[in-house]
Amino acid sequence: MRKSNRLLLKKNRTILVEKLKESLSSVLPVTGIVFLLCFTISPVPNSLLMGFVLGAVLLILGMGLFTLGADLAMTPIGSHVGSAVTKSRNVWLIALVSMLLGIFITVAEPDLQVLAEQVPGIPNLTLILAVGVGVGFFLVVAMFRMLLRIKLSYLLIGIYVFIFILAQFVPDAFLAVAFDSGGVTTGPMTVPFIMALGVGVASIRSDSDAENDSFGLVALSSAGPIIAVMVLGILYGGTGEYISSAVLIADDSRELGLSFLSAFPTYLEEVLVALLPIIVFFLLFQVFQLHLSWTELARIGVGLIYTYVGLVLFLTGVNVGFMPVGSYVGQLIGSLSYNWILVPIGMVIGYFIVAAEPAVHVLNRQVVQITAGTIPSKALSLSLSISVAISVGLAMLRVLTGLPIMALLIPGYLIACVLTFFCPPIFTAIAFDSGGVASGPMTATFLLPLAAGACLGVGGNVVVDAFDVVAMVAMTPLITIQLLGIYHKFRSRRALEEPEVVADAADGADDDIITF
């Protein structure tokens, strides 16, 4: 027993080191770019810069611990619960569990909490619960789609047509926030949990397409928050005035440390409240249905501790040290006479953020496996980086010019929907799932405050003109992955035709020889 515990601890330490390396690769490019800006065109107070460094350290540690905890706890919980409800073969039980889990897991999503902190005029809990209900409801829709074998592309087209019709009745102040909400919900907490639940439900079906139909759950779950926040916008009618993150001022290192320490109790309480429903729900399932071994329960318990500590460190580092610098730097750049430089700066940051995003590497492996190496991993990474760079550049251009958000989103989603008719279904599912992959923690924690600060610098309306960065980053993979799917389809067709061409050429050559 002791030997197995030592092996488990050793394995967890190895995985933790890997997770810390992944989070370091995500944060380091942004940190380097911020340092470059701070020492050139946008100087910041020393205390603010040191707070940013300390925030980056907490962000790296928090992301590492949190993602390890998600692997040890959230994914197994989703898998066990999914398998348990599917064994019952009770469709209504599946629907109820999916709804509750969708709400609970979304409330604990760190990216959503970061976004809620920045949206003015709406209480954080109101926005988070609305988004949670949206995810829960559409997770139920996703489950019924799998069971009834409804084609994903038709369902997605219908949903987004409804979304853009509903958008005509929503106040401008809520449009960008609604689409951003759809992007932040597909984060490191939600995605592994929903995917594990989908695999469990897919096991009900015995046909060959069951495994492929387990994709698309994240895509449908992302649409729910958009509709939920739009309805919330119609009810509220408008939002309050945006207030930028407070600038961290400290006379010495002790005062700087106290600024972070004083924030810990707030996030200790918030994260506990967010995780408690998931823990209670799982324990009830354990008592009445699962009956897991003590070893498995201990493993999940350790994972929940990692998740809790990681979330506290993550949110403290983001809100105290990271976001204020993004907002401050954005305001300085926005007030420059050559503020057009914000566009290429945003594109560079977008390129490196998606290139370093850990979830992108998971997507790479998935596509390479499906295509048997026909689409190289490097090609996928490069295409995603370029597309996200363009999308961030367009978002920053909108900040500077006040271009309506629908002028960008309608053509983008229209192209994505048209491509569904030419793209293999599995690639359509992966494409819409991957919309949230590109919009990782760095987008909500730095790019959004940067855009908001720049908007304040140019005198724009932050809620209307700046809250679209996450939405733009989440939209571009829908196009990119489907284009890769069409390319793969073309390559596969060519590969099947080439042997016939070669055989025909050989027959022709033999005929020529005989005739001659």
Side-chain angles (χ1 to χ4, degrees):
M1 185 71 177
R2 290 181 179 178
K3 185 178 180 180
S4 62
N5 288 337
R6 285 198 299 269
L7 289 174
L8 182 60
L9 289 173
K10 184 178 179 180
K11 182 180 179 181
N12 286 346
R13 283 197 298 268
T14 303
I15 298 174
L16 177 59
V17 171
E18 293 176 358
K19 297 296 183 183
L20 289 174
K21 287 180 180 178
E22 288 180 357
S23 60
L24 180 63
S25 68
S26 296
V27 177
L28 202 57
V30 177
T31 306
I33 293 170
V34 170
F35 272 114
L36 182 62
L37 294 174
C38 289
F39 288 113
T40 52
I41 62 174
S42 55
V44 301
N46 289 334
S47 59
L48 191 61
L49 184 61
M50 289 305 299
F52 172 76
V53 173
L54 187 53
V57 172
L58 292 178
L59 198 61
I60 292 168
L61 291 174
M63 284 177 62
L65 290 170
F66 171 75
T67 52
L68 175 59
D71 287 349
L72 293 177
M74 295 305 151
T75 300
I77 289 175
S79 181
H80 289 310
V81 172
S83 298
V85 296
T86 52
K87 286 178 182 177
S88 70
R89 304 277 174 167
N90 188 327
V91 174
W92 298 111
L93 177 62
I94 294 173
L96 177 62
V97 170
S98 299
M99 183 72 182
L100 293 176
L101 284 178
I103 295 173
F104 294 157
I105 205 71
T106 302
V107 168
E109 181 60 56
D111 293 357
L112 177 59
Q113 295 186 40
V114 172
L115 177 68
E117 287 284 345
Q118 300 176 72
V119 177
I122 308 176
N124 289 7
L125 185 60
T126 302
L127 180 64
I128 290 172
L129 286 178
V131 171
V133 170
V135 172
F137 179 79
F138 271 81
L139 187 55
V140 174
V141 172
M143 294 303 175
F144 276 104
R145 181 198 77 82
M146 292 173 59
L147 296 175
L148 299 176
R149 307 182 188 185
I150 300 172
K151 192 171 182 179
L152 178 64
S153 58
Y154 294 162
L155 189 57
L156 287 171
I157 291 172
I159 288 171
Y160 278 100
V161 167
F162 174 76
I163 285 173
F164 283 109
I165 292 174
L166 183 63
Q168 306 307 311
F169 306 95
V170 178
D172 291 342
F174 274 87
L175 284 176
V177 174
F179 281 94
D180 276 0
S181 298
V184 298
T185 50
T186 50
M189 175 76 82
T190 313
V191 171
F193 200 96
I194 289 178
M195 292 297 289
L197 188 64
V199 171
V201 174
S203 63
I204 288 182
R205 291 169 45 184
S206 58
D207 58 290
S208 58
D209 291 331
E211 184 178 352
N212 291 342
D213 273 354
S214 64
F215 295 108
L217 268 72
V218 177
L220 292 170
S221 301
S222 298
I226 300 176
I227 296 175
V229 177
M230 282 185 173
V231 173
L232 190 66
I234 294 173
L235 297 176
Y236 263 78
T239 60
E241 184 179 353
Y242 176 81
I243 301 174
S244 60
S245 302
V247 176
L248 181 61
I249 302 297
D251 295 330
D252 53 39
S253 56
R254 179 184 177 185
E255 191 172 340
L256 177 67
L258 289 174
S259 299
F260 281 88
L261 288 175
S262 62
F264 273 116
T266 301
Y267 298 113
L268 284 168
E269 182 181 351
E270 285 186 6
V271 174
L272 181 61
V273 171
L275 289 179
L276 201 56
I278 300 173
I279 297 172
V280 172
F281 186 88
F282 171 69
L283 290 177
L284 289 174
F285 245 83
Q286 164 64 16
V287 172
F288 294 104
Q289 186 75 33
L290 297 178
H291 309 298
L292 300 176
S293 66
W294 286 107
T295 303
E296 180 67 9
L297 284 177
R299 184 174 182 271
I300 291 174
V302 171
L304 287 171
I305 294 173
Y306 280 133
T307 303
Y308 179 71
V309 175
L311 269 176
V312 172
L313 294 177
F314 176 86
L315 292 173
T316 304
V318 164
N319 290 296
V320 180
F322 221 76
M323 284 171 46
V325 171
S327 180
Y328 190 89
V329 169
Q331 287 189 57
L332 290 178
I333 296 175
S335 61
L336 294 173
S337 58
Y338 51 94
N339 56 18
W340 55 265
I341 200 172
L342 182 68
V343 175
I345 289 173
M347 293 179 72
V348 171
I349 295 175
Y351 182 93
F352 283 107
I353 279 181
V354 73
E357 181 60 47
V360 171
H361 301 300
V362 177
L363 177 67
N364 281 344
R365 291 193 294 269
Q366 195 177 42
V367 174
V368 169
Q369 182 179 359
I370 291 171
T371 64
T374 305
I375 297 176
S377 175
K378 289 183 179 179
L380 180 64
S381 298
L382 182 61
S383 61
L384 277 176
S385 295
I386 293 173
S387 62
V388 172
I390 293 172
S391 69
V392 175
L394 289 173
M396 296 304 174
L397 181 65
R398 205 175 80 80
V399 168
L400 299 177
T401 62
L403 185 70
I405 186 174
M406 288 301 169
L408 298 175
L409 291 180
I410 289 178
Y413 277 98
L414 181 61
I415 293 171
C417 289
V418 170
L419 288 175
T420 63
F421 293 101
F422 306 96
C423 179
I426 182 63
F427 276 91
T428 296
I430 293 174
F432 278 84
D433 275 356
S434 67
V437 168
S439 55
M442 289 296 96
T443 307
T445 58
F446 186 78
L447 276 177
L448 186 53
L450 179 72
C455 197
L456 288 174
V458 300
N461 186 327
V462 174
V463 180
V464 175
D465 298 331
F467 276 81
D468 70 329
V469 178
V470 181
M472 292 297 297
V473 171
M475 181 186 70
T476 51
L478 312 185
I479 300 172
T480 306
I481 303 300
Q482 288 194 98
L483 288 175
L484 285 175
I486 294 171
Y487 172 73
H488 170 67
K489 181 179 178 181
F490 173 76
R491 283 285 301 271
S492 300
R493 192 171 293 172
R494 284 282 302 272
L496 291 174
E497 292 173 354
E498 281 177 1
E500 298 178 6
V501 173
V502 172
D504 291 342
D507 292 340
D510 292 341
D511 292 341
D512 290 342
I513 292 173
I514 294 170
T515 303
F516 178 77

